[in-house]
Amino acid sequence: PLHVGPIVSSTDAVWDRWRVTEAGPLRWTMRCEGAVGACEAAMDVRLYRGERRVEFAVEVDWDGRGGFLAAHLPFPGEGELAGDMPFCVEDKPIADEPYVGIERTRDGAFIARSFVDWAGKKRSIAYISHDGDRWFVFDSERNELAHILINSVDEPYAQWEESVNATMRGVGRHCFTFSIAPHDSNWRQAGLWQLSEHLRTPVLETLATPGGDLPAAGGLIEVSPPGVALSACYRRGERTLIRVFDTVGAGGEAQITLPFEVGEAELVDLNAEPLDGADVNAERNTVSLRLKPWQIATVAVLRAKE
């Protein structure tokens, strides 16, 4: 991201071969093959039944040329940009932001953790990165979003860069997955935080061994309402520390449901020290607390004695 020389030319991907590789009841996939300049590339375009999004899985054999590879999303009119950051979502008024620090080293550049939402007057659309980096560029003249997937340096620009590892050229095969999700509301009502977390944290599958006394279905922890997210859950001594936060800036009561009966529960700071005046209620296997907008809260839970 520090290397932001002038853009002297651009090349679009050319897809000259495509075929349907899946046509099942739950997923449909089209495989596109072609190149970006001299770099071989392929892309799987996927549709999922019951999901209002289009998924793109891109593979490119990058040759280390100077410059960057980006996924582009044109917007159909005027709108407002927003992007998620760690523990919050912020507006992105690109035209009004000054060039300060690393984030704004290129015209229109900004940072977003996993998704960027464009909200128009009648329709909205979100770009969700499943596994890419956090750098985006908004081109106001073309009304287009670019997500930088590869940023490679093929020659040193200053003294210290002469000793930088050659991997900065990015030579080799790269894979990126992202989704485009149209919606009719704002990012809160569309549940973009929950959707992006779902896409970036896929379900891990495993085969169960026969026997045992566990029920056929169950969960280790449940957090509600949908606007509250689980950030961490770990043991320290006899206590279980659970960190939650408000993802939509609404505040309100949050509930944490556990697979055991709670004996004691209290709010603590990031060092697991008790906070004075913090109100937490525990009843059976549920802990409830009231969150302020965007608040991050850590609850220390002690299991009830049998």
Side-chain angles (χ1 to χ4, degrees):
L2 294 174
H3 299 270
V4 288
I7 299 176
V8 296
S9 64
S10 61
T11 302
D12 290 334
V14 176
W15 310 110
D16 51 21
R17 300 179 303 278
W18 55 88
R19 65 186 186 278
V20 174
T21 58
E22 285 184 296
L26 300 179
R27 186 171 74 175
W28 180 91
T29 303
M30 179 178 68
R31 177 79 169 180
C32 308
E33 296 175 331
V36 182
C39 303
E40 292 184 359
M43 179 172 64
D44 287 331
V45 184
R46 301 171 181 149
L47 300 177
Y48 294 85
R49 180 175 295 277
E51 296 189 35
R52 194 178 178 183
R53 66 182 178 92
V54 184
E55 182 177 288
F56 301 85
V58 178
E59 304 172 19
V60 60
D61 192 4
W62 192 251
D63 60 4
R65 64 185 59 202
F68 60 87
L69 175 71
H72 290 257
L73 174 60
F75 297 130
E78 295 184 358
E80 298 181 352
L81 289 175
D84 70 324
M85 302 291 283
F87 300 105
C88 72
V89 177
E90 65 177 16
D91 295 332
K92 301 291 185 180
I94 304 301
D96 299 331
E97 291 187 353
Y99 287 88
V100 177
I102 296 176
E103 181 176 351
R104 296 304 311 281
T105 48
R106 185 186 295 280
D107 187 19
F110 65 95
I111 294 174
R113 173 178 169 268
S114 61
F115 73 82
V116 175
D117 186 49
W118 174 88
K121 294 182 179 180
K122 296 183 179 180
R123 50 186 171 175
S124 304
I125 187 168
Y127 176 100
I128 303 173
S129 170
H130 296 210
D131 48 24
D133 207 352
R134 62 192 182 279
W135 294 94
F136 293 83
V137 178
F138 177 67
D139 187 333
S140 58
E141 293 184 359
R142 301 177 63 177
N143 199 32
E144 186 174 85
L145 178 72
H147 179 210
I148 298 179
L149 304 177
I150 299 176
N151 190 12
S152 61
V153 181
D154 63 350
E155 60 183 53
Y157 286 78
Q159 296 176 355
W160 64 271
E161 289 148 326
E162 297 177 357
S163 302
V164 169
N165 193 299
T167 56
M168 285 188 70
R169 295 183 61 196
V171 177
R173 196 161 191 83
H174 300 265
C175 301
F176 303 95
T177 306
F178 53 90
S179 287
I180 295 174
H183 58 95
D184 301 322
S185 55
N186 57 44
W187 63 265
R188 289 182 173 88
Q189 296 171 339
L192 291 185
W193 189 292
Q194 292 79 6
L195 177 59
S196 66
E197 288 299 295
H198 166 71
L199 296 175
R200 292 168 64 88
T201 313
V203 173
L204 299 178
E205 300 176 355
T206 184
L207 293 176
T209 55
D213 56 359
L214 291 177
L220 295 178
I221 186 170
E222 180 181 345
V223 177
S224 61
V228 178
L230 175 70
S231 174
C233 181
Y234 60 98
R235 292 292 299 273
R236 178 174 291 184
E238 296 184 353
R239 300 192 300 176
T240 300
L241 299 182
I242 305 166
R243 185 165 299 121
V244 297
F245 64 98
D246 174 24
T247 67
V248 295
E253 184 171 299
Q255 289 189 335
I256 304 170
T257 304
L258 298 164
F260 55 80
E261 186 173 350
V262 178
E264 298 178 11
E266 62 177 347
L267 274 182
V268 297
D269 60 20
L270 295 179
N271 293 318
E273 297 295 332
L275 292 173
D276 294 334
D279 188 16
V280 176
N281 296 317
E283 184 177 353
R284 296 183 180 179
N285 65 332
T286 301
V287 176
S288 60
L289 66 154
R290 189 158 194 85
L291 295 176
K292 298 177 181 178
W294 305 114
Q295 182 181 357
I296 306 169
T298 305
V299 181
V301 175
L302 188 63
R303 186 168 184 166
K305 296 181 179 180
E306 297 180 356

